Amino acid sequence: DIQMTQSPSSLSASLGERVSLTCRASQDIGASLNWLQQEPDGTIKRLIYATSSLDSGVPKRFSGSRSGSDYSLTISSLESEDFVDYYCLQFANSPFTFGSGTKLEIK
Amino acid sequence: QVQMKQSGPGLVQPSQSLSITCTVSGFSLTTYGVNWVRQSPGKGLEWLGVIWSGGSTDYNAAFISRLNITKDNSKSQVFFKMNSLQADDTAIYYCVSNFYWYFDVWGAGTTVTVSS
């Protein structure tokens, strides 16, 4: 199975700050990676698909990129509603696997 | 727009089975697939399986012996059934569409507690 190592597990940041979250894939997954956002009530929303494509309606402060086996989600300027949980997901090979999550906390 | 509406029990007895129905709208099951994912505090998010548009399925090997996913295209419904539940199957279960690329729209989740 492909392991997705997500870091950090938690991040404390301030409003307006720029932050980056990372997932490292244990095998080549090409561009087959999504970023998900989870609200405290459990609602899950896809933000980024295929590594770097922004979903419709998602604010442009969110972006995705890749460097080798490292995949990043960057939020350019944090807003209050961004302080929730984030997960990566690889769908290159079955079983599809998730990162362990990043909890974004307000400083 | 795409919607995924889940229905199913919240409490399951140990050793019993779990059945959840996912009713989709905004797309046809004859064209797009549906995944099942669960989330538990101990194991995080786990992909359980998928039913593809043609009706074939792929399951996570960890669950293949006790998982069955079927569908009724005419009713736009996908049926999830997992057998022999134990306490560590306590989790939130989600159905997720593959309408626009993979894992695009998530259902609200069904919270399942395995307890006597």
Side-chain angles (χ1 to χ4, degrees):
Chain A
D1 299 1
I2 296 175
Q3 308 302 316
M4 302 301 299
T5 303
Q6 187 169 346
S7 61
S9 57
S10 65
L11 178 59
S12 182
S14 303
L15 290 169
E17 190 172 339
R18 177 187 178 94
V19 297
S20 288
L21 318 179
T22 299
C23 275
R24 175 167 292 174
S26 64
Q27 300 175 33
D28 180 26
I29 60 170
S32 301
L33 182 120
N34 293 344
W35 286 98
L36 309 171
Q37 180 188 61
Q38 187 174 32
E39 301 285 347
D41 68 355
T43 302
I44 296 178
K45 174 184 173 182
R46 191 182 70 180
L47 300 176
I48 302 283
Y49 64 95
T51 297
S52 58
S53 295
L54 195 67
D55 265 293
S56 176
V58 174
K60 289 182 169 50
R61 63 181 181 273
F62 291 92
S63 63
S65 62
R66 172 191 178 187
S67 176
S69 60
D70 289 340
Y71 296 77
S72 296
L73 173 70
T74 299
I75 310 173
S76 60
S77 179
L78 284 167
E79 299 198 5
S80 57
E81 62 265 31
D82 300 336
F83 292 92
V84 292
D85 297 340
Y86 296 87
Y87 296 89
C88 63
L89 157 66
Q90 71 80 19
F91 52 91
N93 289 315
S94 177
F96 307 135
T97 49
F98 295 81
S100 55
T102 296
K103 185 176 189 64
L104 195 47
E105 299 172 315
I106 193 163
K107 189 183 288 184
Chain B
Q1 76 277 26
V2 172
Q3 292 189 345
M4 313 289 285
K5 294 190 176 179
Q6 300 179 222
S7 59
L11 181 65
V12 176
Q13 304 262 352
S15 80
Q16 298 302 301
S17 63
L18 168 66
S19 293
I20 303 173
T21 298
C22 179
T23 303
V24 312
S25 57
F27 70 97
S28 172
L29 292 174
T30 60
T31 309
Y32 302 98
V34 171
N35 297 275
W36 289 89
V37 173
R38 75 179 187 181
Q39 183 177 35
S40 61
K43 296 184 179 178
L45 286 160
E46 293 180 287
W47 174 77
L48 301 174
V50 61
I51 187 162
W52 303 105
S53 57
S56 63
T57 52
D58 283 317
Y59 298 126
N60 186 324
F63 302 96
I64 195 168
S65 64
R66 59 191 185 108
L67 183 56
N68 191 38
I69 301 173
T70 58
K71 64 175 178 169
D72 184 331
N73 293 331
S74 66
K75 295 182 177 178
S76 295
Q77 291 181 320
V78 179
F79 308 105
F80 173 92
K81 185 174 183 180
M82 181 180 284
N83 299 319
S84 304
L85 264 69
Q86 300 302 324
D88 62 358
D89 293 311
T90 294
I92 304 173
Y93 289 76
Y94 296 92
C95 60
V96 193
S97 65
N98 280 347
F99 173 68
Y100 193 73
W101 278 83
Y102 292 82
F103 297 88
D104 58 335
V105 178
W106 292 63
T110 299
T111 299
V112 176
T113 301
V114 182
S115 175
S116 55

